Amino acid sequence: MVTLNMASNTRERFIKLVLKGCCHIASVMFYGNSKNADWIYEKMNRPVTYVHEALNVIYFAARKPKVHRIISLIVEPVFGCNLQCSYCWHSINHYFEHKSKRPRFMPLDLFKKIVDQAPASVESIAFALIGEPLLHPHIHTMITYARSKGIRTVLYTNGTLLTAQVMQNIAQSNPDVLVVSVEPDEANALKHRGVSLDVLKARIRAFKVIKPPGMEIKLSVVVHQDNMTEIKNIHKTWEGLVSHIKLSPMIRYNGTRAMGDCIEPWRGSLSILTNGDVSPCCVSAGYRSIIVGNLKDDTLDRIIHGPGLRGLLNDFIHKKRPEVCVRCRSFQGKHIPLRVPAITKNRSGNS
């Protein structure tokens, strides 16, 4: 029995090593360097998911107006936040001309519909987009429900609502990954978020004591002009507290994106907003979202195989991009990976 267990563990470690190698290659291909490899892996732990994603890439390369399989979902539990970060889409009013038409909370029955209708190929659900998930009164029920269906869960938060009771609730619902969005230094944290970095660190230390052994804690840093020079110090600052740090360049819609071929609509990920709108691009949730259907009117399967998504892919193939795609612009700097995956001669993503 011991020998069998050792052989099984060796096999699992080998598979994990191979999959992480695939993520490294994919990160270099689509994001310009290897810094996003871990963030690809966190959504793709099953070997079969890599097969699905490889076929998605082949469909993209062959210019087919369809996606082979959907492998991940991004759900917006809350449209709204307890902070007003200076660079957040939600804080910049001209990015949300229809703000009042989007409900603050996703109904729990809508979320359960999403999970119940998710194709078997969906490996993970991330709770994110435009809002603070911990504001939702049923966020822990959502996490527990998704996990009960065998789906990996990734919870994004700004960390300010991590009170003792909330920490206990998160630990009990046990998402696979907790991602805390922060600034890299105290000055920028106070200037852009009105949050003390020392307070966040203390809360993460406290949560690390009670979290389940298998849960990872990671950081996400929005890189912009003000904090660019502080990025080099962040790994030292957070050493021992988190397992990984993602650099996520700030997105604005005030430029002209390089005319490379964006693979995002073929990536096999769908974003679902609080009102049930479905989009193949998580970035567009911040500005005139690209909508291919609504779950209040249709099923997820029909949206995936329906005319909305197919028509959008056809438009991309024929270089007829929506305005949001044309204007999409990512902040860039030395050693900062792309935020929007693309295969293009100009990898900067800037005009």
Side-chain angles (χ1 to χ4, degrees), residues 214-233:
M215 185 194 302
E216 290 189 272
I217 304 175
K218 300 182 181 181
L219 292 188
S220 176
V221 179
V222 176
V223 184
H224 50 82
Q225 189 63 47
D226 285 359
N227 68 17
M228 179 69 184
T229 58
E230 301 299 326
I231 296 299
K232 63 181 181 296
N233 301 317

Side-chain angles (χ1 to χ4, degrees), residues 29-164:
M29 286 178 61
F30 300 124
Y31 293 97
N33 62 38
S34 63
K35 293 182 181 295
N36 281 341
D38 181 81
W39 294 75
I40 299 173
Y41 179 76
E42 83 174 16
K43 295 182 179 181
M44 299 171 57
N45 277 200
R46 304 172 188 164
V48 68
T49 304
Y50 287 77
V51 176
H52 295 324
E53 188 68 339
L55 288 170
N56 285 340
V57 174
I58 290 172
Y59 279 27
F60 163 76
R63 319 312 287 153
K64 287 184 176 291
K66 62 184 294 188
V67 176
H68 169 68
R69 291 288 188 276
I70 300 299
I71 63 170
S72 64
L73 300 174
I74 305 175
V75 171
E76 180 183 71
V78 179
F79 179 62
C81 191
N82 60 313
L83 300 182
Q84 288 289 314
C85 301
S86 62
Y87 44 76
C88 179
W89 294 318
H90 192 268
S91 302
I92 305 173
N93 287 329
H94 68 266
Y95 282 163
F96 286 101
E97 58 267 45
H98 305 299
K99 186 180 281 191
S100 63
K101 296 183 180 179
R102 194 141 143 202
R104 183 171 175 80
F105 297 127
M106 175 179 283
L108 183 57
D109 60 348
L110 175 58
F111 176 76
K112 288 185 175 181
K113 179 181 180 180
I114 293 167
V115 174
D116 292 343
Q117 294 186 0
S121 55
V122 169
E123 180 176 342
S124 66
I125 289 179
F127 299 88
L129 295 177
I130 313 299
E132 170 50 54
L134 291 183
L135 287 171
H136 200 293
H138 302 299
I139 187 63
H140 309 101
T141 302
M142 291 175 164
I143 296 168
T144 301
Y145 190 76
R147 284 180 57 84
S148 73
K149 303 294 183 177
I151 298 176
R152 285 176 56 79
T153 53
V154 182
L155 175 63
Y156 283 76
T157 176
N158 59 40
T160 60
L161 300 179
L162 288 172
T163 61

Side-chain angles (χ1 to χ4, degrees), residues 9-10 22 72 106 271 278 284 289 314 324 335:
N9 291 337
T10 301
C22 292
S72 64
M106 175 179 283
S271 298
V278 179
S284 79
S289 304
N314 260 316
V324 63
H335 305 308

Side-chain angles (χ1 to χ4, degrees), residues 254-258 329 346 348-351:
N254 57 357
T256 302
R257 183 172 169 79
R329 188 180 186 191
N346 178 0
S348 70
N350 292 320
S351 58

